[in-house]
CSV table of all heavy atoms in Angstrom, one decimal:
chain,number,residue,atom,x,y,z
V,1,LYS,N,21.8,-8.4,6.9
V,1,LYS,CA,21.1,-9.2,7.9
V,1,LYS,C,19.8,-8.6,8.3
V,1,LYS,O,18.8,-9.2,8.5
V,1,LYS,CB,22.0,-9.4,9.1
V,1,LYS,CG,21.4,-10.4,10.2
V,1,LYS,CD,22.4,-10.6,11.3
V,1,LYS,CE,21.8,-11.6,12.3
V,1,LYS,NZ,22.8,-11.8,13.4
V,2,GLU,N,19.8,-7.3,8.5
V,2,GLU,CA,18.6,-6.5,8.9
V,2,GLU,C,17.5,-6.7,7.9
V,2,GLU,O,16.3,-6.9,8.2
V,2,GLU,CB,19.0,-5.0,9.0
V,2,GLU,CG,17.8,-4.2,9.4
V,2,GLU,CD,18.1,-2.7,9.3
V,2,GLU,OE1,19.2,-2.3,8.8
V,2,GLU,OE2,17.3,-1.9,9.8
V,3,SER,N,17.8,-6.7,6.6
V,3,SER,CA,16.8,-6.8,5.5
V,3,SER,C,16.1,-8.1,5.5
V,3,SER,O,14.9,-8.3,5.1
V,3,SER,CB,17.4,-6.5,4.2
V,3,SER,OG,17.9,-5.2,4.1
V,4,LEU,N,16.7,-9.2,6.0
V,4,LEU,CA,16.1,-10.5,6.0
V,4,LEU,C,14.9,-10.6,6.9
V,4,LEU,O,14.1,-11.5,6.7
V,4,LEU,CB,17.2,-11.6,6.5
V,4,LEU,CG,18.4,-11.7,5.6
V,4,LEU,CD1,19.4,-12.7,6.2
V,4,LEU,CD2,18.0,-12.1,4.2
V,5,SER,N,14.8,-9.7,7.9
V,5,SER,CA,13.6,-9.7,8.7
V,5,SER,C,12.8,-8.5,8.5
V,5,SER,O,11.9,-8.2,9.3
V,5,SER,CB,14.0,-9.8,10.2
V,5,SER,OG,14.9,-8.8,10.6
V,6,THR,N,13.0,-7.7,7.5
V,6,THR,CA,12.3,-6.5,7.2
V,6,THR,C,11.3,-6.8,6.1
V,6,THR,O,11.6,-7.5,5.1
V,6,THR,CB,13.3,-5.4,6.7
V,6,THR,OG1,14.2,-5.1,7.7
V,6,THR,CG2,12.5,-4.1,6.4
V,7,PRO,N,10.1,-6.3,6.2
V,7,PRO,CA,9.0,-6.5,5.2
V,7,PRO,C,9.3,-5.8,3.9
V,7,PRO,O,10.1,-4.8,3.8
V,7,PRO,CB,7.7,-6.1,5.8
V,7,PRO,CG,8.2,-5.0,6.8
V,7,PRO,CD,9.5,-5.5,7.3
V,8,THR,N,8.7,-6.2,2.8
V,8,THR,CA,8.7,-5.6,1.5
V,8,THR,C,7.6,-4.6,1.4
V,8,THR,O,6.5,-4.8,2.0
V,8,THR,CB,8.6,-6.6,0.4
V,8,THR,OG1,9.7,-7.5,0.4
V,8,THR,CG2,8.4,-6.0,-1.0
V,9,ARG,N,7.8,-3.4,0.8
V,9,ARG,CA,6.8,-2.4,0.7
V,9,ARG,C,6.7,-2.0,-0.8
V,9,ARG,O,7.7,-1.7,-1.5
V,9,ARG,CB,7.2,-1.2,1.5
V,9,ARG,CG,6.2,0.0,1.5
V,9,ARG,CD,6.7,1.2,2.3
V,9,ARG,NE,5.7,2.2,2.5
V,9,ARG,CZ,5.5,3.2,1.6
V,9,ARG,NH1,6.2,3.2,0.5
V,9,ARG,NH2,4.6,4.1,1.8
V,10,PHE,N,5.4,-1.9,-1.3
V,10,PHE,CA,5.1,-1.5,-2.6
V,10,PHE,C,4.1,-0.4,-2.6
V,10,PHE,O,3.2,-0.4,-1.7
V,10,PHE,CB,4.5,-2.6,-3.5
V,10,PHE,CG,5.4,-3.8,-3.7
V,10,PHE,CD1,5.0,-5.1,-3.5
V,10,PHE,CD2,6.7,-3.6,-4.2
V,10,PHE,CE1,5.8,-6.2,-3.7
V,10,PHE,CE2,7.6,-4.7,-4.4
V,10,PHE,CZ,7.1,-6.0,-4.2
V,11,GLU,N,4.2,0.6,-3.5
V,11,GLU,CA,3.1,1.6,-3.6
V,11,GLU,C,3.1,2.2,-5.0
V,11,GLU,O,4.1,2.4,-5.6
V,11,GLU,CB,3.4,2.8,-2.6
V,11,GLU,CG,2.3,3.8,-2.5
V,11,GLU,CD,2.6,4.9,-1.5
V,11,GLU,OE1,3.5,5.8,-1.8
V,11,GLU,OE2,1.9,4.9,-0.5
V,12,VAL,N,1.8,2.5,-5.4
V,12,VAL,CA,1.7,3.1,-6.7
V,12,VAL,C,0.7,4.4,-6.6
V,12,VAL,O,-0.1,4.4,-5.7
V,12,VAL,CB,1.0,2.2,-7.8
V,12,VAL,CG1,1.9,1.1,-8.2
V,12,VAL,CG2,-0.3,1.7,-7.3
V,13,THR,N,1.0,5.3,-7.4
V,13,THR,CA,0.0,6.5,-7.5
V,13,THR,C,-0.5,6.5,-9.0
V,13,THR,O,0.3,6.4,-9.9
V,13,THR,CB,0.7,7.8,-7.2
V,13,THR,OG1,1.3,7.8,-5.9
V,13,THR,CG2,-0.2,9.0,-7.3
V,14,LEU,N,-1.8,6.5,-9.1
V,14,LEU,CA,-2.4,6.3,-10.4
V,14,LEU,C,-3.5,7.4,-10.6
V,14,LEU,O,-4.0,8.0,-9.6
V,14,LEU,CB,-3.2,5.0,-10.5
V,14,LEU,CG,-2.4,3.7,-10.2
V,14,LEU,CD1,-3.3,2.5,-10.2
V,14,LEU,CD2,-1.3,3.5,-11.3
V,15,ILE,N,-3.8,7.8,-11.8
V,15,ILE,CA,-4.9,8.6,-12.1
V,15,ILE,C,-5.8,7.8,-13.0
V,15,ILE,O,-5.5,7.3,-14.1
V,15,ILE,CB,-4.5,9.9,-12.8
V,15,ILE,CG1,-3.6,10.7,-11.9
V,15,ILE,CG2,-5.7,10.7,-13.3
V,15,ILE,CD1,-3.1,12.0,-12.6
V,16,ILE,N,-7.1,7.5,-12.6
V,16,ILE,CA,-8.1,6.8,-13.3
V,16,ILE,C,-9.3,7.6,-13.3
V,16,ILE,O,-9.9,7.9,-12.3
V,16,ILE,CB,-8.3,5.4,-12.6
V,16,ILE,CG1,-7.0,4.6,-12.4
V,16,ILE,CG2,-9.3,4.6,-13.4
V,16,ILE,CD1,-7.1,3.4,-11.6
V,17,ASP,N,-9.8,7.9,-14.5
V,17,ASP,CA,-11.1,8.6,-14.7
V,17,ASP,C,-11.1,9.9,-13.8
V,17,ASP,O,-12.1,10.1,-13.1
V,17,ASP,CB,-12.3,7.7,-14.3
V,17,ASP,CG,-12.4,6.6,-15.3
V,17,ASP,OD1,-12.0,6.7,-16.5
V,17,ASP,OD2,-12.9,5.5,-14.9
V,18,GLU,N,-10.0,10.6,-13.9
V,18,GLU,CA,-9.9,12.0,-13.3
V,18,GLU,C,-9.8,11.9,-11.7
V,18,GLU,O,-9.8,12.9,-11.1
V,18,GLU,CB,-11.0,12.9,-13.6
V,18,GLU,CG,-11.1,13.3,-15.1
V,18,GLU,CD,-12.0,14.4,-15.4
V,18,GLU,OE1,-12.6,15.0,-14.5
V,18,GLU,OE2,-12.2,14.7,-16.6
V,19,THR,N,-9.6,10.7,-11.2
V,19,THR,CA,-9.4,10.5,-9.8
V,19,THR,C,-8.0,10.0,-9.5
V,19,THR,O,-7.5,9.1,-10.1
V,19,THR,CB,-10.4,9.5,-9.2
V,19,THR,OG1,-11.7,10.0,-9.4
V,19,THR,CG2,-10.2,9.3,-7.7
V,20,LYS,N,-7.3,10.7,-8.5
V,20,LYS,CA,-6.0,10.3,-8.2
V,20,LYS,C,-6.1,9.2,-7.0
V,20,LYS,O,-6.7,9.5,-6.0
V,20,LYS,CB,-5.2,11.5,-7.7
V,20,LYS,CG,-3.7,11.2,-7.3
V,20,LYS,CD,-3.0,12.5,-6.9
V,20,LYS,CE,-1.6,12.2,-6.4
V,20,LYS,NZ,-0.9,13.4,-5.9
V,21,TYR,N,-5.4,8.1,-7.2
V,21,TYR,CA,-5.4,7.0,-6.2
V,21,TYR,C,-3.9,6.8,-5.8
V,21,TYR,O,-3.0,6.9,-6.6
V,21,TYR,CB,-5.9,5.7,-6.8
V,21,TYR,CG,-7.3,5.7,-7.2
V,21,TYR,CD1,-7.7,6.0,-8.5
V,21,TYR,CD2,-8.3,5.3,-6.3
V,21,TYR,CE1,-9.1,6.0,-8.9
V,21,TYR,CE2,-9.7,5.2,-6.7
V,21,TYR,CZ,-10.0,5.6,-8.0
V,21,TYR,OH,-11.4,5.5,-8.3
V,22,GLN,N,-3.8,6.5,-4.5
V,22,GLN,CA,-2.5,6.2,-3.9
V,22,GLN,C,-2.7,4.9,-3.1
V,22,GLN,O,-3.5,4.8,-2.1
V,22,GLN,CB,-2.0,7.2,-3.0
V,22,GLN,CG,-0.6,7.0,-2.4
V,22,GLN,CD,-0.1,8.1,-1.6
V,22,GLN,OE1,-0.6,9.3,-1.6
V,22,GLN,NE2,0.9,7.9,-0.7
V,23,TYR,N,-2.2,3.8,-3.7
V,23,TYR,CA,-2.4,2.5,-3.1
V,23,TYR,C,-1.1,1.7,-2.8
V,23,TYR,O,-0.2,1.8,-3.6
V,23,TYR,CB,-3.3,1.6,-4.0
V,23,TYR,CG,-3.4,0.2,-3.5
V,23,TYR,CD1,-4.2,-0.1,-2.4
V,23,TYR,CD2,-2.8,-0.9,-4.1
V,23,TYR,CE1,-4.3,-1.4,-1.9
V,23,TYR,CE2,-2.9,-2.2,-3.6
V,23,TYR,CZ,-3.7,-2.4,-2.5
V,23,TYR,OH,-3.8,-3.7,-2.0
V,24,GLY,N,-1.0,1.1,-1.7
V,24,GLY,CA,0.2,0.3,-1.3
V,24,GLY,C,-0.1,-0.7,-0.2
V,24,GLY,O,-1.1,-0.7,0.4
V,25,PHE,N,1.0,-1.5,0.0
V,25,PHE,CA,0.9,-2.5,1.1
V,25,PHE,C,2.3,-2.9,1.5
V,25,PHE,O,3.3,-2.7,0.7
V,25,PHE,CB,0.0,-3.7,0.7
V,25,PHE,CG,0.4,-4.4,-0.6
V,25,PHE,CD1,1.4,-5.5,-0.5
V,25,PHE,CD2,-0.1,-4.1,-1.8
V,25,PHE,CE1,1.8,-6.1,-1.7
V,25,PHE,CE2,0.3,-4.8,-2.9
V,25,PHE,CZ,1.2,-5.8,-2.9
V,26,VAL,N,2.4,-3.5,2.7
V,26,VAL,CA,3.6,-4.0,3.2
V,26,VAL,C,3.4,-5.5,3.6
V,26,VAL,O,2.3,-5.9,4.1
V,26,VAL,CB,4.0,-3.2,4.5
V,26,VAL,CG1,5.3,-3.8,5.1
V,26,VAL,CG2,4.2,-1.8,4.2
V,27,HIS,N,4.4,-6.4,3.2
V,27,HIS,CA,4.1,-7.8,3.5
V,27,HIS,C,5.5,-8.5,3.8
V,27,HIS,O,6.6,-8.0,3.4
V,27,HIS,CB,3.5,-8.5,2.3
V,27,HIS,CG,4.4,-8.7,1.1
V,27,HIS,ND1,5.1,-9.9,1.0
V,27,HIS,CD2,4.7,-7.9,0.1
V,27,HIS,CE1,5.8,-9.8,-0.1
V,27,HIS,NE2,5.6,-8.7,-0.7
V,28,ASN,N,5.3,-9.6,4.5
V,28,ASN,CA,6.5,-10.5,4.6
V,28,ASN,C,6.1,-11.9,4.0
V,28,ASN,O,5.1,-11.9,3.1
V,28,ASN,CB,6.9,-10.7,6.1
V,28,ASN,CG,5.8,-11.2,7.0
V,28,ASN,OD1,4.8,-11.8,6.5
V,28,ASN,ND2,5.9,-10.9,8.3
V,29,GLN,N,6.7,-13.0,4.3
V,29,GLN,CA,6.4,-14.2,3.7
V,29,GLN,C,5.0,-14.8,4.0
V,29,GLN,O,4.5,-15.7,3.3
V,29,GLN,CB,7.5,-15.3,3.9
V,29,GLN,CG,7.6,-15.7,5.3
V,29,GLN,CD,8.5,-14.9,6.2
V,29,GLN,OE1,8.7,-13.7,5.9
V,29,GLN,NE2,9.1,-15.5,7.2
V,30,SER,N,4.4,-14.4,5.1
V,30,SER,CA,3.2,-15.0,5.6
V,30,SER,C,2.0,-14.1,5.8
V,30,SER,O,0.9,-14.5,5.8
V,30,SER,CB,3.5,-15.7,6.9
V,30,SER,OG,3.9,-14.8,7.9
V,31,LYS,N,2.3,-12.7,5.9
V,31,LYS,CA,1.2,-11.8,6.2
V,31,LYS,C,1.3,-10.5,5.5
V,31,LYS,O,2.4,-10.0,5.2
V,31,LYS,CB,1.2,-11.5,7.7
V,31,LYS,CG,0.8,-12.7,8.6
V,31,LYS,CD,0.8,-12.3,10.1
V,31,LYS,CE,0.4,-13.5,11.0
V,31,LYS,NZ,0.4,-13.1,12.4
V,32,ILE,N,0.1,-9.9,5.3
V,32,ILE,CA,0.0,-8.5,4.9
V,32,ILE,C,0.1,-7.7,6.2
V,32,ILE,O,-0.8,-7.9,7.1
V,32,ILE,CB,-1.3,-8.2,4.1
V,32,ILE,CG1,-1.4,-9.1,2.9
V,32,ILE,CG2,-1.3,-6.7,3.8
V,32,ILE,CD1,-0.3,-8.8,1.8
V,33,LEU,N,1.1,-6.9,6.4
V,33,LEU,CA,1.3,-6.1,7.6
V,33,LEU,C,0.6,-4.8,7.6
V,33,LEU,O,0.2,-4.3,8.7
V,33,LEU,CB,2.8,-6.0,7.9
V,33,LEU,CG,3.6,-7.2,7.9
V,33,LEU,CD1,5.1,-6.9,8.1
V,33,LEU,CD2,3.1,-8.2,9.0
V,34,ALA,N,0.4,-4.2,6.4
V,34,ALA,CA,-0.3,-2.9,6.3
V,34,ALA,C,-0.8,-2.8,4.9
V,34,ALA,O,-0.2,-3.3,3.9
V,34,ALA,CB,0.6,-1.8,6.7
V,35,GLU,N,-1.9,-2.0,4.7
V,35,GLU,CA,-2.4,-1.8,3.4
V,35,GLU,C,-3.2,-0.5,3.5
V,35,GLU,O,-3.8,-0.2,4.5
V,35,GLU,CB,-3.4,-2.9,3.0
V,35,GLU,CG,-3.9,-2.9,1.6
V,35,GLU,CD,-4.9,-4.1,1.4
V,35,GLU,OE1,-5.1,-4.9,2.3
V,35,GLU,OE2,-5.4,-4.1,0.2
V,36,TRP,N,-3.2,0.3,2.4
V,36,TRP,CA,-3.8,1.6,2.4
V,36,TRP,C,-4.3,2.0,1.0
V,36,TRP,O,-3.7,1.6,0.0
V,36,TRP,CB,-2.9,2.7,2.9
V,36,TRP,CG,-1.6,2.8,2.2
V,36,TRP,CD1,-1.3,3.7,1.2
V,36,TRP,CD2,-0.4,2.1,2.4
V,36,TRP,NE1,0.0,3.5,0.8
V,36,TRP,CE2,0.6,2.5,1.5
V,36,TRP,CE3,-0.1,1.0,3.3
V,36,TRP,CZ2,1.9,2.0,1.5
V,36,TRP,CZ3,1.2,0.5,3.3
V,36,TRP,CH2,2.2,1.0,2.3
V,37,LEU,N,-5.3,2.8,0.9
V,37,LEU,CA,-5.8,3.3,-0.3
V,37,LEU,C,-6.4,4.7,-0.1
V,37,LEU,O,-7.4,4.9,0.7
V,37,LEU,CB,-6.9,2.4,-1.0
V,37,LEU,CG,-7.5,3.0,-2.3
V,37,LEU,CD1,-6.5,3.2,-3.4
V,37,LEU,CD2,-8.6,2.0,-2.8
V,38,TYR,N,-5.9,5.7,-0.8
V,38,TYR,CA,-6.4,7.1,-0.8
V,38,TYR,C,-6.9,7.4,-2.1
V,38,TYR,O,-6.3,7.1,-3.2
V,38,TYR,CB,-5.3,8.1,-0.3
V,38,TYR,CG,-4.6,7.7,1.0
V,38,TYR,CD1,-3.4,7.1,1.0
V,38,TYR,CD2,-5.2,7.9,2.2
V,38,TYR,CE1,-2.8,6.7,2.1
V,38,TYR,CE2,-4.6,7.6,3.4
V,38,TYR,CZ,-3.4,7.0,3.3
V,38,TYR,OH,-2.8,6.6,4.5
V,39,ALA,N,-8.1,8.1,-2.2
V,39,ALA,CA,-8.7,8.4,-3.5
V,39,ALA,C,-9.3,9.8,-3.4
V,39,ALA,O,-10.1,10.1,-2.5
V,39,ALA,CB,-9.8,7.4,-3.9
V,40,GLY,N,-8.9,10.7,-4.4
V,40,GLY,CA,-9.4,12.0,-4.4
V,40,GLY,C,-9.2,12.8,-3.1
V,40,GLY,O,-10.0,13.6,-2.7
V,41,GLY,N,-8.1,12.6,-2.5
V,41,GLY,CA,-7.7,13.3,-1.3
V,41,GLY,C,-8.4,12.8,0.0
V,41,GLY,O,-8.2,13.3,1.1
V,42,LYS,N,-9.1,11.6,-0.1
V,42,LYS,CA,-9.8,11.0,1.0
V,42,LYS,C,-9.2,9.6,1.3
V,42,LYS,O,-8.7,9.0,0.4
V,42,LYS,CB,-11.3,10.9,0.8
V,42,LYS,CG,-12.0,12.3,0.7
V,42,LYS,CD,-13.5,12.1,0.5
V,42,LYS,CE,-14.2,13.4,0.3
V,42,LYS,NZ,-15.7,13.2,0.1
V,43,THR,N,-9.3,9.2,2.6
V,43,THR,CA,-8.9,7.9,2.9
V,43,THR,C,-10.0,6.9,2.7
V,43,THR,O,-11.1,7.0,3.3
V,43,THR,CB,-8.5,7.8,4.4
V,43,THR,OG1,-7.4,8.7,4.6
V,43,THR,CG2,-8.0,6.4,4.8
V,44,LEU,N,-9.9,6.0,1.7
V,44,LEU,CA,-10.9,5.0,1.5
V,44,LEU,C,-10.7,3.9,2.5
V,44,LEU,O,-11.7,3.4,3.1
V,44,LEU,CB,-10.8,4.4,0.1
V,44,LEU,CG,-11.4,5.2,-1.0
V,44,LEU,CD1,-11.5,4.4,-2.3
V,44,LEU,CD2,-12.8,5.7,-0.7
V,45,PHE,N,-9.5,3.4,2.8
V,45,PHE,CA,-9.3,2.5,3.9
V,45,PHE,C,-7.8,2.5,4.2
V,45,PHE,O,-6.9,2.7,3.4
V,45,PHE,CB,-9.8,1.1,3.6
V,45,PHE,CG,-9.0,0.3,2.7
V,45,PHE,CD1,-7.9,-0.5,3.1
V,45,PHE,CD2,-9.3,0.3,1.3
V,45,PHE,CE1,-7.1,-1.2,2.3
V,45,PHE,CE2,-8.5,-0.5,0.4
V,45,PHE,CZ,-7.4,-1.2,0.9
V,46,THR,N,-7.5,2.2,5.5
V,46,THR,CA,-6.2,1.7,5.9
V,46,THR,C,-6.4,0.5,6.7
V,46,THR,O,-7.4,0.3,7.4
V,46,THR,CB,-5.5,2.8,6.8
V,46,THR,OG1,-6.2,3.0,8.0
V,46,THR,CG2,-5.3,4.1,6.0
V,47,ARG,N,-5.4,-0.4,6.7
V,47,ARG,CA,-5.4,-1.6,7.4
V,47,ARG,C,-4.0,-1.9,8.0
V,47,ARG,O,-3.1,-1.9,7.2
V,47,ARG,CB,-5.8,-2.8,6.5
V,47,ARG,CG,-5.7,-4.2,7.0
V,47,ARG,CD,-5.8,-5.2,5.8
V,47,ARG,NE,-5.7,-6.5,6.2
V,47,ARG,CZ,-5.3,-7.5,5.4
V,47,ARG,NH1,-4.9,-7.3,4.2
V,47,ARG,NH2,-5.3,-8.8,5.9
């Protein structure tokens, strides 16, 4: 029952052209609740 109102979360860690990226987001059926991207040890954005 708890999971029915809990959002889904996905995240990947990638290496592209010698840069390490960590990207993910959290969502339910209607909205993106959180989103983030880190690259090369720096925060490119969080939402």
Side-chain angles (χ1 to χ4, degrees):
K1 185 176 181 180
E2 177 187 11
S3 298
L4 298 178
S5 57
T6 300
T8 295
R9 183 182 188 275
F10 298 130
E11 184 178 73
V12 292
T13 302
L14 308 171
I15 297 175
I16 305 172
D17 295 331
E18 296 191 7
T19 298
K20 181 179 178 182
Y21 294 92
Q22 185 178 342
Y23 174 70
F25 56 88
V26 178
H27 76 90
N28 58 23
Q29 66 270 27
S30 60
K31 292 181 179 180
I32 302 296
L33 304 176
E35 185 182 2
W36 58 93
L37 175 61
Y38 307 100
K42 297 181 180 179
T43 301
L44 282 189
F45 76 86
T46 63
R47 171 196 181 201

